[in-house]
Amino acid sequence: MERFYIFVAMANQDDQFKKVISHAKEYGYVFQSSEIYDGLSAVYDYAQNGVELKKNIRDYWWKAMVQMHDNIVGIDASIFMHPTTWKASGHVDAFSDPLIDNKDSKKRYRADVLVEDYCLKIEAKIDKEVKKAAKRFGDAFNKDEFIATNPRVLGYQEKIDGILSRLGKSLEAEDLVDVKALIEELEIACPLSGSRNWTDVKQFNLMFGTKLGASAETAMDLYLRPETAQGIFVNFLNVQKTGRMKIPFGIAQTGKAFRNEIVARQFIFRMREFEQMEMQFFIKPGTQKEWFDKWKETRMKWHLSLGMGEDNYRFHDHEKLAHYADAATDIEFKFPFGFKELEGIHSRTDFDLKQHEEFSGKKLQYFDHEENKSYTPYVLETSIGLDRMFLAVFSNALMEEELENNTTRTVLKLPAVLAPVKAAVFPLVKKDGLPEVAKEIIEDLKWDFNVFYDEKDAVGKRYRRQDANGTPFCITVDHQTLEDKTVTIRHRDTMDQRRVAISELKDIIKKEVDVKEWLMKM
Ligand code: GAP
């Protein structure tokens, strides 16, 4: 039996990320959109396996956020909304990125991203110091103590904090002159041309416009929604009344959002068309701090339930708050290119409901029977990008392992609950009635799980294909099966094989892929 004994760390971040992208294509997870026409920048299509993984992530979120809460319900609002929505929400006036052009390369950048990338380079220096010290001190090394006391690390951290705090303040005050001054003081150069010949920083609105109507004269200007949240706000009263919801209660939805991202890079991390999973939790004014902490904890537990490593997550509290928030934090994940935002948790105050009240002229208040008064609820929002979650899951799962026989295997160790295919069924050979039995097993299992039949190539090769595809189980039908109705079942992660009765298969698979088993870990 083959056994693995070490993980081979993938060469470096860049290489690892390239492998993630090419693996996603090779195994039918993600394709470039309109590839035959050379693609469309920052737009992607989910392929046959990708669509299943994406659906499983969405379902895992929906189960945890909607169906497991008796005070949260779901909706599915339209992408098109009345254009006044976006005036009221502040997106027409304030949903923009600060952009800067390099006059030599003619490349356009997000000014804040240039500064943040600069800070990431300093952060890499801290990592280097930590690694060096860990090597020097061996088992006696205490990372937290080292970071808290080492003068060089403290110096780097102070520099990062100073830069980010100034950036945050300048952006909040709309002081774009200072943002440019910061870029110049830090001597940030264009990554393409190496030149520091920058234009002024300007704001650029991220919403895509379109038109509704048959003739040019009468057509109405619309926007493709840049977030799903507003579909929830405008339906707040409808849902509250028809669902007889009592505060605190939540409304959740998943759906497409569109942003004309300028720095559209890093594969499906930042896309122009993407999907969000958002939940607005309506609460009594004054309780927002308590609910902010509660939802921070609950959402982190959801992430950790997937077993992708506690060290891969961290909170990042916002210095610069969006126009609607009185507190905000990001759950950051360690992507192949470093820690980046995966989910946002925002205390949105009563900003949105009040704005919609003002712009629509309709009352959007809640009558609290306990308090015997009406008020505009405050809102706590959790907002996660489905595509970003996909990338987190996929990139974290992809690894190469060196086996005892000096070969390596590529394996996609997706959390079994999310894997697109739960089990592959193989006849050992394509004769003697084995394919027929394998197909019978498929027919039975497919009522409960997404399963796959494969009879091509040697079994070892088929195992490898399923490892790389992320399939948690492979089931092989051989000649013994004909005699005693047993098969071998092989586990993707341990590669252990054992002989079990066909009648046991369903329970064995269910135990590892059942949503309940995973969510109970929350
Ligand atoms: N309703 C609040 C809101 O939209 P956001 O921080 O702008 O907040 C929430 O977006 C989440 O949506 C992000 O944490 C990220 O996961 C995802 N997201 C935002 N822009 C994205 C993009 N261009 N491509 C992919 N995901 C994106």
Side-chain angles (χ1 to χ4, degrees), residues 25 31-45:
K25 178 171 180 194
F31 300 148
Q32 175 71 257
S33 157
S34 344
E35 196 188 271
I36 60 167
Y37 295 106
D38 297 331
L40 187 62
S41 163
V43 187
Y44 292 90
D45 296 339

Side-chain angles (χ1 to χ4, degrees), residues 236-237 240-241 247 283-285 350 353-354 357 363-378:
F236 156 73
L237 212 54
Q240 191 271 318
K241 288 214 176 319
I247 272 180
I283 55 176
K284 204 187 279 187
D350 55 3
L353 290 180
K354 279 246 165 86
E357 254 190 340
K363 251 193 160 17
L364 294 176
Q365 296 215 336
Y366 172 80
F367 184 76
D368 192 322
H369 287 275
E370 277 167 26
E371 305 237 335
N372 200 26
K373 65 172 188 194
S374 292
Y375 54 77
T376 310
Y378 268 43

Side-chain angles (χ1 to χ4, degrees), residues 183-200:
I183 289 173
E184 286 175 338
E185 279 167 40
L186 296 174
E187 300 188 341
I188 295 175
C190 165
L192 210 68
S193 65
S195 114
R196 298 192 189 111
N197 194 7
W198 296 109
T199 62
D200 289 341

Side-chain angles (χ1 to χ4, degrees), residues 227 259 261 269 271 276 278 341-342 348 381 383 385:
E227 62 171 13
R259 295 182 189 178
E261 299 281 3
F269 180 80
M271 302 155 89
Q276 289 186 313
E278 297 200 296
E341 175 185 346
L342 171 60
R348 287 182 84 126
E381 167 184 74
S383 174

Side-chain angles (χ1 to χ4, degrees), residues 331-447:
I331 294 178
E332 293 188 339
F333 184 77
K334 197 169 183 189
F335 288 97
F337 36 83
F339 272 102
K340 292 273 179 194
E341 175 185 346
L342 171 60
E343 169 159 4
I345 298 164
H346 312 123
S347 172
R348 287 182 84 126
T349 68
D350 55 3
F351 174 85
D352 302 86
L353 290 180
K354 279 246 165 86
Q355 287 291 105
H356 288 304
E357 254 190 340
E358 188 186 326
F359 279 74
S360 68
K362 311 263 162 45
K363 251 193 160 17
L364 294 176
Q365 296 215 336
Y366 172 80
F367 184 76
D368 192 322
H369 287 275
E370 277 167 26
E371 305 237 335
N372 200 26
K373 65 172 188 194
S374 292
Y375 54 77
T376 310
Y378 268 43
V379 171
L380 217 289
E381 167 184 74
T382 72
S383 174
I384 175 170
L386 176 49
D387 313 85
R388 237 174 240 194
M389 185 63 196
F390 184 111
L391 182 59
V393 168
F394 192 87
S395 59
N396 186 66
L398 184 61
M399 48 192 82
E400 273 172 24
E401 283 175 355
E402 199 162 299
L403 306 176
E404 261 182 3
N405 57 7
N406 281 338
T407 58
T408 55
R409 72 163 181 159
T410 300
V411 54
L412 192 62
K413 290 190 173 174
L414 298 170
V417 65
L418 303 181
V421 176
K422 304 302 188 202
V425 185
F426 314 146
L428 184 65
V429 289
K430 264 192 279 182
K431 55 181 185 181
D432 304 335
L434 302 189
E436 287 75 6
V437 178
K439 281 176 188 165
E440 268 172 34
I441 294 175
I442 287 271
E443 284 307 308
D444 185 37
L445 292 181
K446 78 181 182 193
W447 287 96

